[in-house]
Amino acid sequence: MPELCAKPFSLPRAVCCVQEALQRASDVLSPVTHHPRLESELLLSHILQRPRTFLLAHPEAQLTAEWALDYAGLVARRAAGEPLPYITGHSPFFGLEFTVTPDVLIPRPETELLVEHALAWLKGRPMPVVADIGTGSGCIVVSVARQCPEARCYAIDISAAALAVARANAARHGVADRITCLEGDLLAPLPEVVDVILSNPPYVAETEWASLPISVRHEPRAALLSGVVGLDALRALLQQAPPRLQPGGALFVEIGERQGDAAQALARTAFPTAHIQILPDLAGKARLLTVYKT
Ligand code: GLN
């Protein structure tokens, strides 16, 4: 990712048009993102409360001085490294828009792999009970509940602020009646044995924090960092999981790209007779630990 931009962003107080505003914003954002034009459009469509297609169809539309100033403010925040979804308050995942705040990790496209595998496994299983551990925004559990109408779900997070966001997303997508949100550490609050455990736990090594892109360092440390080599949460989750998972049940956990061997070994210790796999993401990087309990 390119370095931060020192160039100040300003728009004239006088009215300017959509095209000019987008061009100036793109120039300012080009040092901080690989998609300066797209992000400029998303920020302006947020300010104007109009779809992006409106901007493309009306490049000559005039901005009021107030809009222009508000836009300049948002572009400056983005130029300083704040992630776009924290500015607009939402982020797409698995075909849905999720509310996000700085209390939750921003949904990542690679996490859709976990949802896809979980849904394939859930297909044809009647009335499954699902647990999403460290739910954050709730993007995993809400996507699963939407696609699997028979599922009854638990969403657990140690952060009350994150759970409030997950609850809002469950309500936003009409699945709040099938998702029970519980505050606590990993599997501790789970009141019953479940058919499937899902988790995107923190898995970044503490030593890597300083080298993460500035936008990632705006996200909650507790959602990213997990001990010296990034495996503390996975180890604890796997230790707690065996008695909480039905025989014939499955566990799907997102892992870091260099954690495949370690994750497999930890899973083998916890589940000596299970079928265990490490699956790659679309970029070919190890991304998903799957455990099928016998
Ligand atoms: N994929 C995220 C990142 O690299 C990490 C997510 C996590 O720790 N669960 O920023």
Side-chain angles (χ1 to χ4, degrees):
M1 184 65 60
E3 258 316 300
L4 276 189
C5 163
K7 219 187 324 172
F9 179 71
S10 64
L11 279 166
R13 275 190 159 276
V15 171
C16 71
C17 74
V18 161
Q19 187 175 4
E20 287 163 358
L22 288 175
Q23 189 51 52
R24 283 165 163 269
S26 301
D27 291 347
V28 171
L29 294 184
S30 58
V32 282
T33 165
H34 295 301
H35 310 286
R37 178 74 188 194
L38 173 65
E39 295 201 19
S40 300
E41 289 171 6
L42 290 170
L43 286 172
L44 189 53
S45 89
H46 177 69
I47 290 278
L48 300 182
Q49 296 290 298
R50 301 271 191 152
R52 263 178 74 218
T53 46
F54 173 87
L55 306 178
L56 305 179
H58 300 285
E60 76 300 335
Q62 296 292 306
L63 301 188
T64 65
E66 194 186 348
W67 274 333
L69 273 177
D70 287 350
Y71 186 47
L74 297 196
V75 171
R77 281 169 63 187
R78 182 66 190 106
E82 199 173 332
L84 185 89
Y86 289 160
I87 299 174
T88 61
H90 56 90
S91 180
F93 183 80
F94 217 78
L96 299 173
E97 277 299 322
F98 284 85
T99 298
V100 294
T101 72
D103 292 311
V104 302
L105 195 73
I106 296 163
R108 307 284 204 268
E110 55 267 32
T111 305
E112 295 183 347
L113 180 74
L114 187 160
V115 173
E116 277 165 16
H117 281 270
L119 288 174
W121 187 87
L122 284 164
K123 205 167 182 201
R125 281 169 208 266
M127 312 290 286
V129 183
V130 176
D132 177 20
I133 311 304
T135 195
S137 66
C139 65
I140 294 174
V141 73
V142 168
S143 301
V144 167
R146 283 277 300 213
Q147 300 286 325
C148 184
E150 285 196 9
R152 197 159 54 76
C153 307
Y154 293 99
I156 298 176
D157 208 290
I158 201 162
S159 156
L163 272 187
V165 177
R167 269 193 204 97
N169 280 317
R172 177 173 183 168
H173 295 300
V175 289
D177 56 331
R178 289 186 291 118
I179 299 179
T180 304
C181 292
L182 300 170
E183 188 181 333
D185 190 20
L186 298 173
L187 294 160
L190 198 60
E192 63 177 304
V193 176
V194 299
D195 297 300
V196 58
I197 293 174
L198 311 175
S199 184
N200 176 17
Y203 56 69
V204 176
E206 272 160 11
T207 48
E208 284 176 44
W209 179 258
S211 59
L212 293 177
I214 184 157
S215 63
V216 176
R217 280 182 277 139
H218 278 75
E219 297 184 81
R221 288 173 80 105
L224 287 162
L225 299 187
S226 192
V228 179
V229 295
L231 287 166
D232 285 8
L234 177 66
R235 185 182 297 105
L237 179 67
L238 285 167
Q239 277 167 358
Q240 296 174 17
R244 310 303 189 104
L245 199 55
Q246 294 281 9
L251 178 140
F252 300 88
V253 185
E254 185 170 317
I255 59 170
E257 59 186 276
R258 290 184 294 275
Q259 295 175 338
D261 290 346
Q264 179 133 18
L266 289 169
R268 179 56 68 214
T269 305
F271 293 92
T273 61
H275 178 55
I276 297 169
Q277 282 183 309
I278 303 293
L279 300 173
D281 60 20
L282 290 174
K285 296 172 175 170
R287 187 61 63 197
L288 186 64
L289 165 68
T290 65
V291 176
Y292 304 96
K293 189 180 176 185
T294 46

Coordinates of all heavy atoms in Angstrom, one line a residue, residues 105 108 110 200-204 212 216 219 223-225 254 287, ligand 1:
L105 N -14.4 -5.7 13.4 CA -13.6 -5.9 12.2 C -14.4 -5.7 11.0 O -15.6 -6.0 11.0 CB -13.1 -7.4 12.3 CG -11.9 -7.7 11.3 CD1 -10.6 -7.1 11.9 CD2 -11.8 -9.2 11.2
R108 N -14.2 -9.2 5.5 CA -13.2 -9.4 4.4 C -13.7 -10.4 3.4 O -14.4 -11.3 3.8 CB -11.9 -10.0 5.0 CG -11.2 -9.3 6.1 CD -10.5 -8.1 5.7 NE -9.5 -7.7 6.6 CZ -9.6 -6.8 7.6 NH1 -10.7 -6.3 7.9 NH2 -8.5 -6.5 8.3
E110 N -12.3 -12.7 1.9 CA -11.8 -14.1 2.1 C -12.7 -14.9 3.1 O -12.7 -16.1 3.1 CB -10.3 -14.2 2.5 CG -9.9 -13.4 3.7 CD -9.4 -12.0 3.3 OE1 -9.9 -11.4 2.3 OE2 -8.5 -11.5 4.0
N200 N -14.2 -16.6 12.9 CA -13.0 -15.9 12.3 C -12.4 -15.2 13.5 O -12.6 -14.0 13.8 CB -13.5 -14.8 11.3 CG -12.3 -14.0 10.8 OD1 -11.2 -14.4 11.0 ND2 -12.7 -12.9 10.2
P201 N -11.5 -16.0 14.2 CA -10.9 -15.4 15.5 C -9.8 -14.5 15.1 O -9.4 -14.4 14.0 CB -10.4 -16.7 16.1 CG -10.0 -17.5 15.0 CD -11.0 -17.3 13.9
P202 N -9.3 -13.7 16.1 CA -8.1 -13.0 15.8 C -6.9 -13.9 15.6 O -6.9 -15.0 16.2 CB -7.8 -12.2 17.2 CG -8.6 -12.9 18.2 CD -9.8 -13.6 17.5
Y203 N -6.1 -13.6 14.6 CA -5.0 -14.6 14.3 C -3.7 -13.9 13.8 O -2.8 -14.5 13.2 CB -5.4 -15.7 13.3 CG -6.0 -15.2 11.9 CD1 -5.1 -14.6 11.0 CD2 -7.3 -15.4 11.6 CE1 -5.6 -14.2 9.8 CE2 -7.8 -15.0 10.4 CZ -7.0 -14.4 9.5 OH -7.5 -14.1 8.2
V204 N -3.6 -12.6 14.1 CA -2.4 -11.8 13.7 C -1.4 -11.9 14.8 O -1.8 -11.7 16.0 CB -2.8 -10.4 13.3 CG1 -1.5 -9.6 13.0 CG2 -3.7 -10.4 12.1
L212 N 1.3 -3.6 10.0 CA 0.1 -3.6 9.3 C -0.2 -2.3 8.7 O 0.2 -1.3 9.2 CB -1.1 -4.0 10.3 CG -1.0 -5.3 11.0 CD1 -2.2 -5.5 12.0 CD2 -1.2 -6.4 9.9
V216 N -5.7 -0.9 8.6 CA -6.0 -2.1 9.5 C -5.8 -1.7 11.0 O -6.5 -2.2 11.8 CB -5.1 -3.3 9.1 CG1 -5.4 -4.4 10.0 CG2 -5.4 -3.7 7.6
E219 N -8.7 -0.8 13.1 CA -9.7 -1.8 13.5 C -9.3 -2.3 14.9 O -8.2 -2.1 15.4 CB -9.6 -3.0 12.5 CG -10.1 -2.5 11.1 CD -10.1 -3.6 10.1 OE1 -11.1 -4.3 10.1 OE2 -9.2 -3.8 9.3
A223 N -9.8 -7.9 17.9 CA -10.3 -8.7 16.8 C -9.2 -9.2 15.9 O -9.5 -10.0 15.0 CB -11.3 -7.9 16.0
L224 N -8.0 -8.7 16.0 CA -6.9 -9.0 15.1 C -5.8 -9.8 15.8 O -5.3 -10.8 15.3 CB -6.3 -7.7 14.5 CG -7.2 -7.0 13.4 CD1 -6.7 -5.6 13.2 CD2 -7.2 -7.8 12.1
L225 N -5.3 -9.3 17.0 CA -4.1 -9.8 17.6 C -4.4 -11.0 18.5 O -5.4 -11.0 19.2 CB -3.4 -8.7 18.4 CG -2.9 -7.5 17.6 CD1 -2.1 -6.6 18.5 CD2 -2.2 -7.9 16.4
E254 N -11.4 -19.6 10.3 CA -10.5 -18.9 9.4 C -9.1 -18.8 10.1 O -9.0 -18.6 11.3 CB -11.0 -17.5 9.1 CG -10.1 -16.7 8.1 CD -10.7 -15.4 7.6 OE1 -11.9 -15.4 7.3 OE2 -10.0 -14.4 7.5
R287 N -6.4 -20.7 4.3 CA -7.3 -19.7 4.9 C -8.3 -20.3 5.8 O -8.9 -19.7 6.6 CB -8.0 -18.9 3.7 CG -8.9 -17.8 4.1 CD -8.1 -16.7 4.9 NE -7.1 -16.2 4.0 CZ -6.1 -15.4 4.4 NH1 -5.9 -15.2 5.7 NH2 -5.2 -15.0 3.6
Ligands
GLN1 N1 -7.5 -11.1 7.5 C1 -7.3 -10.1 8.5 C2 -6.1 -9.3 8.2 O1 -5.2 -9.8 7.7 C3 -7.2 -10.7 9.9 C4 -8.5 -11.2 10.4 C5 -8.3 -11.9 11.7 O2 -7.4 -11.7 12.5 N2 -9.3 -12.6 12.0 O3 -6.1 -8.1 8.4

